[in-house]
């Protein structure tokens, strides 16, 4: 016989006792799992925890993808703290993963966050304003660079990091897409790992 010393951790997003009473969860399984029960409030009720979770998540993402450490601007952190997070910590992780891909200068700012979060924080005022205080060529380059980076990030995420598939969907030559990815320091391996994590999370749901 094989001896196994293991600890089982299980989570639930609903009232487990009610599920047992309704016959939706086996009573004997619940007795085995309920040795110690911790009730954790939804993330929307724990705004002070968002900063710690976000910092740890960013550090982990940077370490996994071999990129320089990133930090959150104060405005970005305030926006994260003010959001409801219906998807809990997983939604926060996915949000930061997307922000890490599109942010510049090692700082995650509000305009790197999804529109739904900016809207909740009262920051979604449309596209990034044109920098008219800069020379025309520099202002144009900033607008074009941001468009390219956001487009590439969404394209590669949708295609799971597959450059050939992404090039075909975008109508670009594979070599041209690779040049743009290098220009914006986006690596297909980052998106492949993101797809694998999403797949693992779906299996464990």
């Amino acid at each position: 016989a094989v001896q196994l010393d293991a600890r089982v951790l299980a989570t639930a997003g609903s009232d487990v006792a009610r599920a047992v009473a309704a016959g939706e969860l086996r009573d004997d399984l619940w007795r085995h799992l309920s040795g110690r029960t911790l009730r954790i409030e939804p993330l929307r009720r724990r705004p002070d925890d968002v900063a710690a979770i976000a910092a740890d998540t960013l550090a982990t993402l940077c370490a996994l993808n071999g990129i320089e450490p990133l930090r959150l601007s104060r405005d970005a952190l305030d926006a994260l703290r003010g959001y409801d997070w219906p998807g809990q910590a997983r939604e926060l992780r996915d949000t930061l993963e997307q922000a890490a891909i599109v942010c510049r200068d090692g700082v995650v700012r509000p305009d790197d966050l999804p529109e739904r979060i900016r809207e909740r924080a009262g920051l979604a005022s449309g596209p990034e304003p044109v920098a008219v205080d800069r020379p025309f060529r520099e202002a144009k380059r900033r607008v074009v660079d941001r468009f390219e980076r956001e487009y590439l990030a969404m394209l590669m995420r949708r295609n799971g990091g597959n450059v050939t598939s992404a090039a075909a969907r975008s109508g670009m030559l594979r070599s041209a897409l690779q040049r743009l990815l290098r220009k914006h320091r986006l690596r297909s391996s980052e998106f492949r790992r993101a797809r694998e994590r999403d797949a693992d999370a779906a299996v464990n749901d």
Side-chain angles (χ1 to χ4, degrees):
V2 177
Q3 292 186 341
L4 181 63
D5 183 9
R7 177 177 296 175
V8 177
L9 300 177
T11 63
S14 59
D15 188 327
V16 178
R18 184 179 301 171
V20 172
E24 298 169 357
L25 179 68
R26 287 172 45 184
D27 180 73
D28 58 335
L29 176 60
W30 167 236
R31 287 198 300 271
H32 283 297
L33 293 176
S34 61
R36 176 172 295 180
T37 303
L38 299 176
R39 184 177 295 277
I40 301 176
E41 291 293 325
L43 198 54
R44 67 178 180 275
R45 297 179 184 171
R46 297 182 287 124
D48 291 341
D49 289 348
V50 171
I53 296 173
D56 182 68
T57 300
L58 275 181
T60 300
L61 288 172
C62 292
L64 285 174
N65 294 296
I67 59 178
E68 293 297 318
L70 301 174
R71 65 179 180 86
L72 285 163
S73 72
R74 182 177 296 276
D75 288 343
L77 179 57
D78 287 344
L80 295 178
R81 286 164 55 92
Y83 185 63
D84 282 346
W85 301 111
Q88 303 303 324
R90 179 176 297 169
E91 184 183 5
L92 176 57
R93 184 206 67 189
D94 292 343
T95 295
L96 292 171
E97 186 172 43
Q98 176 183 333
I101 291 172
V102 301
C103 79
R104 298 159 292 178
D105 305 325
V107 180
V108 175
R109 297 180 173 86
D111 58 356
D112 298 316
L113 301 175
E115 185 176 359
R116 67 183 186 279
I117 295 176
R118 299 199 308 271
E119 284 181 347
R120 181 61 186 265
L123 298 172
S125 56
E128 183 179 7
V130 176
V132 295
D133 57 328
R134 299 176 182 272
F136 172 78
R137 287 189 177 182
E138 182 181 348
K140 179 181 178 181
R141 177 184 57 78
R142 286 167 62 91
V143 172
V144 172
D145 281 351
R146 179 155 188 84
F147 163 76
E148 288 180 348
R149 189 172 181 85
E150 290 184 353
Y151 178 87
L152 291 171
M154 186 176 296
L155 177 70
M156 294 300 292
R157 188 175 183 90
R158 185 166 296 178
N159 288 275
N162 187 309
V163 177
T164 300
S165 175
R169 174 169 291 188
S170 65
M172 299 171 62
L173 292 175
R174 192 176 191 276
S175 57
L177 176 56
Q178 287 177 318
R179 282 196 299 272
L180 273 179
L181 291 172
R182 286 195 295 269
K183 171 186 173 182
H184 293 283
R185 299 180 181 179
L186 297 175
R187 292 181 293 182
S188 58
S189 58
E190 296 175 7
F191 300 94
R192 286 196 297 271
R193 281 194 286 267
R195 180 183 60 179
E196 291 167 359
R197 286 195 295 272
D198 290 344
D200 289 342
V203 170
N204 293 325
D205 276 347

